[in-house]
Amino acid sequence: MSHVFHRSLTQSYPTAVQGDGPYLIDSQGKRYLDASGGAAVSCLGHSDTAVIEAIREQVGKLAYAHTSFFTSEPMEALADFLIERALGGLESVYFVSGGSEAVEAALKLARQYFVEIGQPQRRHVIARRQSYHGNTLGALAAGGNAWRRQQFQPLLIDVSHVSPCYAYREQRADETPEALGIRLAAELEAEILNLGAENVMAFIAEPVVGATLGAVPAVPGYFKRVREVCDRHGVLLILDEVMCGMGRTGTLFAAEQEGISADLITVAKGLGAGYQPIGATLVSGRIVDAIRQGSGFFQHGHTYIGHATACAAALAVQKSIEERQLLPRVRQLGAALQTRLRERFADHPHVGDIRGRGLFQGLELVQDRASKAPFDPARKLHARVKKAAMAHGLMCYPMGGTLDGRSGDHVLLAPPFILEEPHLDELVHKLDAALRDALADA
C-alpha cells in the first residue's frame, strides 16, 4: 500500500522509471508517447542531456540561496534572457515555483501597484468563464473552471467572469469571427462600467485557453480590442501564458501572435520543461517603477523563489530551444499535426471541433455533430479516453466540463517540441484507437 497521497485515491498508477526523448517508460518496460507534455510541460522531452548537465553543474556550485540574502548568477542570467526577448514594456521578472504561484504574484502586484499610486479603491478582478488560472485560492478565484471552484467557493474572493472567446460555442450564426470579438470586448467594457471603472484593477485571460477549454485561440482582433478597453479605463491586463506560452504555440510568448503586450504575463510549465519546478511573472516597467518609487518592497514571497538550480535548468531549456531553432519547428510540426488530425477526425461522428496553434491542439467530443450536443457527463467520456489512451501507450490530456464545468469533453494535445514526423503518425493512430475504445465502452 502506497503512503503517497495521490491525486486519486481510487486508482493505481504505473511507476515511471525512465525518460527517452518523447517517451516515458514504466517499471514494466512499457513505453508511452507523451502527446501532452504531461500537462504541456515537457517541451524538450524527458532525457535532454544538455539540461541535465546544466543542473548537475549548478548543484555542484550552488544549489540554493535564499533571495532575502542573495541574488544568484543563474537567476540574473535567466531574467536577462527573458526580458531581452519579452514583449514591449516588460522589464522585470519575478521568479516562483509554478503557474499558480505566478498568477498569485500577478494579482498581488496588480493590487499593490494601485495602492502605491494612490488608487486603493481598485480591487475588482475580471476574468472569463471556462478559464483556468491555477489551484491556489487567489488563482482559483480568478479562474472560471466551475468544477474546480465548486467546493472551495466559500473561501474564494469575488471575481467577475465574462464570456470566453470560444468561437465554436459562442459565435452566432449571423456573426463573423471579427464581430464576435467586438461583441465580447464590449461585454468586458460593460462589466468594467458595471463595477465602476475606478474600482477595477485587472482583467486576466489566457491568450489560448488550455486545460478547461482545450486549446481555444481567440478570434482575430479580440485581444487588441481588450487591450484598448483596459487602457481606456486604466485597468491592468494580465495574460496567463502558463500553459500556452514559452513556445508552445510557435512563438516564445503566445501574445506575440495577437500583436499586443500586457502589464503582467505569467509563465511556467515550458519555462523549465519539467526538469525543475519553476514559474515566473513578467512585470511592466510602470509597475516596477511605482513600487520602487513608493514602498520599495513587494509585500509577497515564497521560500523557493528564484531557486538557483531551477533557474539554471530553465536557462538551459530556453537556450536549447533557441539554439536548435525549435520555435519554427513547433509551427511546422503544429501545422502537420493539425493536418493529420483533420484527415483522421474531420468526419468523425463524435469530433465536433479541431482547434489550436502550434503544438497546442484540441479536439472537442460531441454526442451529435449537427447540434453540438455534448455527451451525458455521467458517462465520464474524458476519463475513459485517458484510460484507453494509456492502455495504447499514449499520454494525452482529456478533460470534462468543457461547456460549463459539468457538460462537455475534449482532448488536449501538447507534445514535446522534439517530435519527428513518424511520432505524429503514431500519436494520431493511438488517439484514434483510444477514442474508438472509449466510445465503445461509453
Side-chain angles (χ1 to χ4, degrees):
M1 178 179 175
S2 174
H3 293 287
V4 175
F5 197 134
H6 285 287
R7 286 175 176 250
S8 172
L9 301 180
T10 60
Q11 71 177 78
S12 59
Y13 297 87
T15 301
V17 297
Q18 188 178 351
D20 179 18
Y23 294 92
L24 282 171
I25 305 168
D26 71 15
S27 56
Q28 303 303 308
K30 183 173 180 177
R31 296 169 67 87
Y32 303 81
L33 177 64
D34 187 355
S36 60
V41 174
S42 301
C43 56
L44 288 184
H46 300 280
S47 57
D48 191 282
T49 54
V51 178
I52 292 168
E53 183 54 38
I55 292 169
R56 286 193 181 116
E57 182 180 346
Q58 185 60 44
V59 170
K61 293 191 297 185
L62 173 71
Y64 164 75
H66 198 284
T67 54
S68 68
F69 299 94
F70 295 99
T71 188
S72 69
E73 292 176 345
M75 179 166 64
E76 296 289 346
L78 179 58
D80 289 346
F81 182 98
L82 292 173
I83 293 303
E84 285 169 7
R85 293 155 182 79
L87 304 176
L90 298 168
E91 294 184 6
S92 295
V93 188
Y94 187 85
F95 289 111
V96 291
S97 296
S100 296
E101 286 186 18
V103 171
E104 292 284 334
L107 294 171
K108 285 188 173 181
L109 277 165
R111 171 60 184 166
Q112 185 168 336
Y113 167 74
F114 284 113
V115 172
E116 299 274 7
I117 66 170
Q119 298 181 35
Q121 79 283 357
R122 287 192 185 258
R123 65 190 185 280
H124 291 297
V125 176
I126 302 175
R128 301 189 296 185
R129 293 190 297 277
Q130 294 307 100
S131 59
Y132 179 63
H133 298 299
N135 258 335
T136 51
L137 290 176
L140 189 63
N145 185 308
W147 176 75
R148 297 193 193 213
R149 289 168 54 94
Q150 186 176 10
Q151 67 176 321
F152 303 109
Q153 188 69 48
L155 305 180
L156 305 181
I157 61 171
D158 187 23
V159 172
S160 298
H161 290 89
V162 295
S163 298
C165 193
Y166 178 17
Y168 178 64
R169 295 282 178 182
E170 296 288 335
Q171 187 174 328
R172 297 168 181 165
D174 61 347
E175 196 171 43
T176 65
E178 290 77 9
L180 171 63
I182 292 170
R183 175 165 62 84
L184 294 177
E187 181 186 341
L188 170 61
E189 186 160 34
E191 183 60 20
I192 291 172
L193 295 174
N194 177 58
L195 294 168
E198 71 282 1
N199 300 319
V200 179
M201 71 178 194
F203 174 62
I204 181 170
E206 300 162 89
V208 182
V209 184
T212 303
L213 281 185
V216 173
V219 295
Y222 167 79
F223 273 106
K224 284 188 176 179
R225 294 184 178 91
V226 163
R227 175 80 265 187
E228 291 166 1
V229 167
C230 290
D231 288 346
R232 186 156 52 245
H233 298 289
V235 174
L236 297 180
L237 176 60
I238 304 172
L239 292 181
D240 179 352
E241 297 202 5
V242 166
M243 187 170 262
C244 65
M246 294 291 96
R248 174 57 58 191
T249 64
T251 51
L252 189 61
F253 296 94
E256 290 180 47
Q257 296 171 60
E258 305 299 339
I260 64 164
S261 187
D263 301 291
L264 296 148
I265 293 183
T266 60
V267 296
K269 297 185 184 293
L271 175 60
Y275 287 91
Q276 288 281 286
I278 190 168
T281 304
L282 283 79
V283 189
S284 66
R286 67 167 169 152
I287 293 175
V288 175
D289 289 344
I291 295 174
R292 180 183 291 116
Q293 294 163 15
S295 66
F297 175 73
F298 179 31
Q299 194 175 329
H300 183 59
H302 297 284
T303 299
Y304 292 114
I305 64 175
H307 192 282
T309 306
C311 289
L315 183 59
V317 167
Q318 296 308 313
K319 284 184 174 179
S320 180
I321 289 171
E322 185 167 275
E323 291 165 3
R324 295 160 64 181
Q325 298 187 317
L326 292 182
L327 296 187
R329 184 168 178 77
V330 168
R331 297 192 289 271
Q332 172 198 337
L333 287 171
L337 175 57
Q338 189 166 98
T339 295
R340 284 167 168 79
L341 291 172
R342 293 190 182 280
E343 288 172 348
R344 185 67 64 97
F345 299 113
D347 297 321
H348 193 290
H350 298 300
V351 176
D353 192 33
I354 301 168
R355 66 254 186 158
R357 285 184 186 163
L359 286 176
F360 201 44
Q361 301 286 329
L363 283 72
E364 185 162 336
L365 307 178
V366 293
Q367 175 71 61
D368 178 71
R369 281 168 57 100
S371 67
K372 303 182 183 179
F375 283 91
D376 182 346
R379 297 171 74 172
K380 295 184 177 179
L381 179 60
H382 58 285
R384 294 175 184 271
V385 171
K386 181 178 180 180
K387 182 178 180 181
M390 288 289 283
H392 284 281
L394 180 72
M395 295 165 58
C396 58
Y397 198 113
M399 286 288 291
T402 313
L403 276 70
D404 54 13
R406 181 175 180 272
S407 300
D409 302 272
H410 67 262
V411 179
L412 181 65
L413 301 171
F417 303 170
I418 61 170
L419 291 190
E420 302 290 342
E421 293 274 342
H423 293 129
L424 301 180
D425 296 323
E426 179 184 352
L427 188 165
V428 173
H429 174 74
K430 288 182 173 180
L431 180 59
D432 191 15
L435 289 179
R436 183 175 60 248
D437 291 353
L439 289 164
D441 291 342

